[in-house]
Amino acid sequence: MEFYLSDPNLRLVFFGILIMSSTTAVVGNYAFLRKRSLIGDAISHSIFPGICLGFLFTDSKNPVFLLVGAFATGWLAVFLIDYFKNNSKIKEDSAIALVMSVFFGIGIVLLTYIQQSKGANQSGLDKFLFGQAASIVETDVIVFGSVALLSLVVVLLLFREFKLICFDPVFAKSIGYPIKTLEAIITSLTVLAIVVGIRSVGVVLMSAMLIAPAAAARFWTNNLSVMMVVSILFTTISTILGCGVSYAFEGMPTGPWIVMIMSFLAILTFLFAPQKGSVNKYFRDRMNWSRIEKENILKKLYQIGEVKNDFFQPIFLPEVANNRHTEIKISQILKKLKNDGFVIKTKGNWYLSAEGKAKGQKMIKLHRLWEFYLTEKVHIAPDHVHDNSEMMEHIISPEMEEKLEKALNYPKKDPHSKEIPY
Amino acid sequence: MNHFWIIIISILAGLPCAWLGSFLVLRKMAMIGDAISHSILPGIVIAYLMSGQKDSFLLFLGASLFGILSTFLIEYLHSKSGLQADASIGITFTFLFSLGVILICYFSSQIDLDQDCVLYGELAYSPLSRWIIDIYDFGPKAFWVLFLVVICTFSYIYFFYQPLKLVSFDEEFAKVSGINVMLWHYSLMGMVSFITVSTFEEVGSILVISNLAVPALTAFLISKNFKRMLFLASFFLILSCILGYGLAYFLNVAVAASISLLGGLIFGIVFITEKMISNQKKYLALGL
């Protein structure tokens, strides 16, 4: 990292982008949690006509005018999206697509108008479209810094209020929070962060800077403050690597590389995050299924034993098989059960072991206990309780089992007059 | 004559977008069109590198592949990782778009894909490249290509109207009726990628996104019948193309952008009129 920080220009670019993208990451948390991730895309497209209007009216490239214009149309876009959403049958995503494409079209009309009427003076306006990280100068860093500071102060002051708006706007309203004002403040922060950053990364990549860190951070924590810190961490890593790549290889663009690394890290997170990642979810699901399958077979074996009044006869596969499990499938599951010690195989015959019998008995007990509970306490008809119990028997924890037993006072028989084995 | 050709070409490029856009609007997937039109960029670059020319079949293939890939990724992140639908769209297309930009920069010496042309299209120059056999001039090449695209899209919708409509209106019911919902989902996404790539060179990606959303939404406001919505969407599209070209001609600005501006204007007028009429009806019903 030191090797490119020694260059003063690159140092400016690096810190500029780092400050700017950390700000967008923080406000992006709110956009993400309010399920408005694409609003960033809409804003970054919609500020373009504002920039052109600012230039047309004042005839100067003074960044203040351009930014004021950009802020105005960015805000207008969010307002229109909300208006269409609330006042017609148009859904939010359609409203975003509509406002975004029309505003952007207006922006291009204005840009081409400026280009042919004002000539060479306009050069630089189209930098807003694709962004140029390398053009960051000291004033930019000062602007980034002040916006970052402002956002930080506002977020710290209104942390509780913003949090409530993200997670439960209805509750926030009912306890008397000024919802409209607070939402307007969040929108203003978002528009501001995008407006100042857009010249460095461009229209399309801006929306990635807004949501990718927040979305990735969401997979690592359930706590908003931690999530914000993690999202800033993600941005920092991507900025360091992105700037590094564009420094190390001639002609490599900084912005796209940062976004590329950022989204790559985000996608890796979505796949491999310890709790919520899809790969982990997949394996967890499979383990769960296989546990449920094993428990079901043990239950079936116990039931067969119950009828025959002898639990330790050799297992006759066709008896266990049903239309969901063929005999081949059953013998596969039996092999797994053997590893767990629930069944034994001797001389080509399968036998239930003592542990297997106990486990099967426990499943049957839970099943019938739950059926009893549903009829007795929840007053559900006896012929409607089986399916629910089929699920619950795999979920009931030992503590809950104990509570059930006590609450029901150790019933002898289930609603279908079958014995509940203890 | 050039005015005529430009308007015709812009209409031909817009019609398939307006039709498929109607389905996207109903399926609450308007932003998918935006995502696809950005995600095809790496496909175009790779195909361009392999074939070395701008109008090859490989370009269609590469772009369509990346378009479908992006919808797969969006669907996967949404359903398997439990990421919010909007966030999964946002992350997927920015990822692929930045990949495309990086590829363009890396191979900049071998590619002359102008970012401007991707954005605004070359509508004003499209009549210039003509299809000539021997001495006979059959008109602009773009016209014939887009004519084919319109025919393809039209037959796709015409022949598969029932399942497409069912899947768009009531996915659950379609599933129960034994329709392969996923198949139709991906076929629609494939078609959107196909028309995006086949039209963006003429009209630019802004107009593709705007054509996918704006006419369909305008029609959506005032129709209670899907066939009517398709007709109205086509009507609004044609209107915006004609008026938009007029505006572009008088102000001397980018044609594609001014068409999308006009589309927005028409939407605004229809929206306000519809609001006024429905308010009036409300008052009448109240006896005021």
Side-chain angles (χ1 to χ4, degrees), chain A residues 18 22 25 213 217 226-240 262 265:
Chain A
L18 186 61
S22 304
V226 180
M227 186 175 149
M228 285 193 169
V229 175
V230 174
S231 68
I232 293 176
L233 209 68
F234 264 108
T235 355
T236 314
I237 295 171
S238 338
T239 311
I240 291 173
M262 203 180 261
L265 288 177

Side-chain angles (χ1 to χ4, degrees), chain A residues 32 35-38 41 83-84 87-91 93-94 96-98 100-102 104-106 108-109 111-113 116 129-130 204-205 207-208 211-212 215 219 251-253 256-257 260 263 270-271 276 278 281, chain B residues 28-31 34 38 76-77 80-84 86-87 90-91 93-95 97-99 101-102 105-106 115-116 119-120 206 209-210 213-214 217 220-221 223 251-254 257-258 260-261 264 267 271 275:
Chain A
F32 176 80
K35 301 202 170 57
R36 311 196 72 179
S37 305
L38 291 173
D41 199 27
Y83 182 79
F84 289 142
N87 292 291
S88 73
K89 53 179 180 175
I90 294 176
K91 301 285 181 305
D93 72 314
S94 308
I96 290 177
L98 173 94
M100 184 181 97
S101 58
V102 171
F104 199 59
I106 296 173
I108 301 289
V109 166
L111 179 71
T112 45
Y113 179 73
Q116 50 95 7
L129 285 183
F130 302 105
V204 176
L205 303 181
S207 57
I211 49 169
F219 275 68
M252 281 281 124
W257 265 108
M260 174 87 175
S263 359
F270 303 147
L271 293 180
K276 298 172 183 160
S278 59
K281 253 187 205 161
Chain B
K28 300 181 194 69
M29 285 180 167
M31 286 307 280
D34 177 42
H38 284 99
Y76 180 83
L77 292 181
K80 290 292 192 297
S81 295
L83 185 66
Q84 293 163 17
D86 55 344
I91 286 171
F93 86 81
T94 48
F95 174 64
F97 186 78
S98 56
L99 180 69
V101 175
I102 288 170
C105 290
Y106 189 69
Q115 284 175 322
D116 287 359
L119 213 54
Y120 323 144
I206 317 163
I209 300 167
S210 136
V214 181
L217 276 172
F220 181 58
L221 282 179
S223 39
L251 290 179
N252 191 15
V253 292
S258 99
S260 92
L261 191 161
F267 173 84
F271 185 83
K275 265 260 120 60

Side-chain angles (χ1 to χ4, degrees), chain A residues 137-180:
Chain A
V137 291
E138 223 171 290
T139 31
D140 291 321
V141 180
I142 294 170
V143 172
F144 292 161
S146 8
V147 171
L149 203 66
L150 178 75
S151 312
L152 193 67
V153 170
V154 174
V155 167
L156 284 180
L157 282 179
L158 296 173
F159 192 74
R160 267 166 52 96
E161 285 83 352
F162 284 176
K163 194 161 143 183
L164 206 53
I165 281 200
C166 291
F167 291 107
D168 201 341
V170 179
F171 178 64
K173 198 172 185 180
S174 70
I175 61 170
Y177 278 175
I179 297 265
K180 285 252 151 54

Side-chain angles (χ1 to χ4, degrees), chain A residues 329-340:
Chain A
K329 178 84 186 155
I330 299 275
S331 50
Q332 280 168 359
I333 300 172
L334 282 175
K335 263 174 216 150
K336 285 189 207 160
L337 282 170
K338 189 181 154 203
N339 292 338
D340 299 343

